[in-house]
């Protein structure tokens, strides 16, 4: 349920309500808005029939949240969430954030070469998996901790921020140490223990939609992270399974507007996994920006033939640079910046 506060509610009144809600065994989350604040209340709400909160000074009204996701809902927070990354970036603001780099971290020198190229084209975050969720156990599984160290070196040399995947709760401490954004992959969208662990951190999280998950299920997974207190959360549409098998997955372009209509969380699009084909990445990226996404996650490799994973969907650095130029025009047309 949501407690809508009066615009003139004082700090003392808010503290009093928070204390009362906690005493009833419920969890309050205060969301400060420009005009007024609201308090989201999570837990068994039956107790509130005995103890109505409408009577408290500072309360304007109390509303039930009908959706099963509460903290992720637009009702809980009317203004879009802006997630701060590092010291200067904000996801969910006017600027569309471009995260680019190889699917997997391979050699250190290669990673740094890619980092420099994507940076000069305008990317602000370097992507690269050190822990790789591969369909086959015989395929390259990632460099692990060594890969995280290469990412750290690339960050040091370029100033790019780092997004990398966490697959196992046991690797949380090292991924948290090196990453600026912790990625939860499509295959782990419903790994609830992993979601709780990243929820207890305050590091920004990029939660990818499962390939066979609905948007509502994505929002329920988001709720796991939010309910542990981590509001530095971005969602990611990365393509879903459909009957169409020409492309690796089908980019659900609708998901962008649907997420915006249901939630305050920023939405990133991954056109690389969504298409599986480098020749389709450009049009999918432009469509995503036109549809209102807050960022893109794009795979780039200078030698796709030799890439240890996902070469077929990786853009050459020069193609990525051309795409960035086009994206700037699309962004401008929809009132955004890249
Ligand atoms: C990735 O981004 O490298 C990745 C494995 O993506 P997904 O989890 O969407 O398949
Ligand atoms: Mn990949």
């Amino acid at each position: 349920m949501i407690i809508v506060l009066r615009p003139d509610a004082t700090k003392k009144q808010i503290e009093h309500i928070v204390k009362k809600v906690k005493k009833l065994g419920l969890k309050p989350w205060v969301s400060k808005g420009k005009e007024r604040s609201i308090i989201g209340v999570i837990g068994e709400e039956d107790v509130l029939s005995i103890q109505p909160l409408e009577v408290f000074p500072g309360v304007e009204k109390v509303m039930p949240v009908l959706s099963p996701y509460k903290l992720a809902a637009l009702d809980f927070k009317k203004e879009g969430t802006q997630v701060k990354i590092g010291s200067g970036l904000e996801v969910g603001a006017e600027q569309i954030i471009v995260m680019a780099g190889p699917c997997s971290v391979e050699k250190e020198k290669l990673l740094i070469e890619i980092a420099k190229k994507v940076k000069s084209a305008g990317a602000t975050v370097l992507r690269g998996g050190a822990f790789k969720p591969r369909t086959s156990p015989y395929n390259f599984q990632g460099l692990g901790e060594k890969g995280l160290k290469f990412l750290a070196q690339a960050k040091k040399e370029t100033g790019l921020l780092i997004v990398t995947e966490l697959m196992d709760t046991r690797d949380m401490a090292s991924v948290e140490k090196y990453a600026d954004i912790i990625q939860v992959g499509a295959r782990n969208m419903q790994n609830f223990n992993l979601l709780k662990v990243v929820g207890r951190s305050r590091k920004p999280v990029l939660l990818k939609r499962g390939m066979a998950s609905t948007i509502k299920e994505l929002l329920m997974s988001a709720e796991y992270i939010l309910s542990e207190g981590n509001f530095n959360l971005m969602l990611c549409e990365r393509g879903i399974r459909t009957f169409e098998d020409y492309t690796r997955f089908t980019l659900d372009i609708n998901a962008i507007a649907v997420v915006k209509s249901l939630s305050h969380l920023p939405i990133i699009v991954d056109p690389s996994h969504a298409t599986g084909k480098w020749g389709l990445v450009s049009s999918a990226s432009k469509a995503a920006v036109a549809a209102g996404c807050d960022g893109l996650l794009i795979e780039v490799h200078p030698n796709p033939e030799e890439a240890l994973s996902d070469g077929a969907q990786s853009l050459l650095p020069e193609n990525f640079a051309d795409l960035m130029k086009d994206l700037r025009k699309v962004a401008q047309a929809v009132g955004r910046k890249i």
Side-chain angles (χ1 to χ4, degrees):
M1 94 160 29
I2 284 169
I3 305 168
V4 181
L5 299 167
R6 290 169 49 93
D8 59 359
T10 65
K11 209 171 147 216
K12 218 167 153 197
Q13 288 171 336
I14 298 175
E15 279 167 8
H16 180 66
I17 300 164
V18 164
K19 222 163 125 189
K20 191 78 203 175
V21 167
K22 282 187 183 160
K23 216 168 148 201
L24 290 167
L26 303 168
K27 238 176 168 180
W29 294 101
V30 181
S31 165
K32 290 200 165 64
K34 275 196 193 102
E35 279 175 27
R36 64 177 82 227
S37 295
I38 59 175
I39 305 174
V41 179
I42 305 296
E44 285 298 330
E45 291 168 9
D46 293 355
V47 288
L48 293 176
S49 52
I50 317 159
Q51 191 60 255
L53 290 166
E54 278 95 345
V55 297
F56 283 77
V59 174
E60 186 165 292
K61 58 181 173 185
V62 178
M63 295 177 349
V65 181
L66 298 175
S67 60
Y69 43 90
K70 313 281 178 200
L71 302 173
L74 204 55
D75 287 343
F76 172 65
K77 196 167 173 285
K78 289 269 178 276
E79 292 136 29
T81 288
Q82 298 185 354
V83 178
K84 284 196 177 59
I85 304 161
S87 51
L89 276 191
E90 244 170 11
V91 181
E94 187 190 7
Q95 196 184 352
I96 294 166
I97 305 300
V98 180
M99 314 179 192
C103 176
S104 300
V105 176
E106 302 175 11
K107 296 202 162 56
E108 186 176 19
K109 225 175 115 206
L110 179 67
L111 181 69
I112 291 165
E113 177 197 329
I114 301 171
K116 285 183 178 159
K117 288 190 171 150
V118 298
K119 183 177 177 171
S120 73
T124 43
V125 179
L126 176 66
R127 63 147 291 144
F131 298 98
K132 293 304 303 175
R134 304 306 301 281
T135 302
S136 167
Y138 307 119
N139 286 343
F140 178 60
Q141 302 286 306
L143 296 178
E145 183 95 26
K146 197 163 96 183
L148 295 177
K149 290 194 172 131
F150 292 172
L151 286 165
Q153 188 57 30
K155 176 177 178 175
K156 202 170 152 201
E157 292 196 27
T158 60
L160 287 173
L161 299 167
I162 302 297
V163 57
T164 196
E165 179 163 353
L166 172 70
M167 282 175 60
D168 189 320
T169 54
R170 289 168 294 188
D171 297 315
M172 177 61 178
S174 42
V175 171
E176 195 176 28
K177 180 170 155 203
Y178 293 105
D180 296 290
I181 305 170
I182 301 173
Q183 180 173 323
V184 174
R187 290 158 189 81
N188 272 317
M189 189 203 88
Q190 287 188 319
N191 180 339
F192 301 115
N193 284 335
L194 193 68
L195 300 179
K196 283 183 197 166
V197 165
V198 299
R200 278 177 221 131
S201 165
R202 292 299 173 264
K203 264 271 149 94
V205 174
L206 178 77
L207 174 64
K208 295 187 99 176
R209 177 180 180 186
M211 61 189 78
S213 299
T214 64
I215 296 169
K216 286 192 178 164
E217 285 163 341
L218 172 64
L219 292 171
M220 287 313 294
S221 290
E223 195 73 15
Y224 266 89
I225 298 172
L226 299 171
S227 63
E228 292 291 340
N230 193 352
F231 278 74
N232 299 314
L233 180 57
M234 296 158 262
L235 306 175
C236 180
E237 162 58 39
R238 46 79 70 208
I240 51 171
R241 277 253 155 92
T242 66
F243 60 83
E244 180 56 71
D245 62 0
Y246 185 82
T247 47
R248 186 177 179 191
F249 295 99
T250 296
L251 173 61
D252 183 7
I253 202 86
N254 288 332
I256 302 165
V258 174
V259 163
K260 293 273 173 209
S261 72
L262 299 176
S263 178
H264 51 87
L265 295 170
I267 174 95
I268 309 296
V269 168
D270 172 347
S272 307
H273 292 87
T275 58
K277 292 185 164 140
W278 70 267
L280 299 175
V281 167
S282 170
S283 67
S285 304
K286 287 184 267 190
V289 169
C293 74
D294 297 300
L296 291 166
L297 182 70
I298 303 178
E299 289 184 340
V300 176
H301 198 289
N303 190 1
E305 264 179 54
E306 300 286 322
L308 295 180
S309 58
D310 289 351
Q313 65 194 34
S314 299
L315 289 183
L316 289 169
E318 51 270 34
N319 291 339
F320 175 69
D322 286 344
L323 170 60
M324 287 295 280
K325 284 184 202 142
D326 287 350
L327 289 176
R328 284 192 189 101
K329 293 182 217 155
V330 181
Q332 200 188 10
V334 293
R336 304 288 289 269
K337 271 199 318 217
I338 286 196

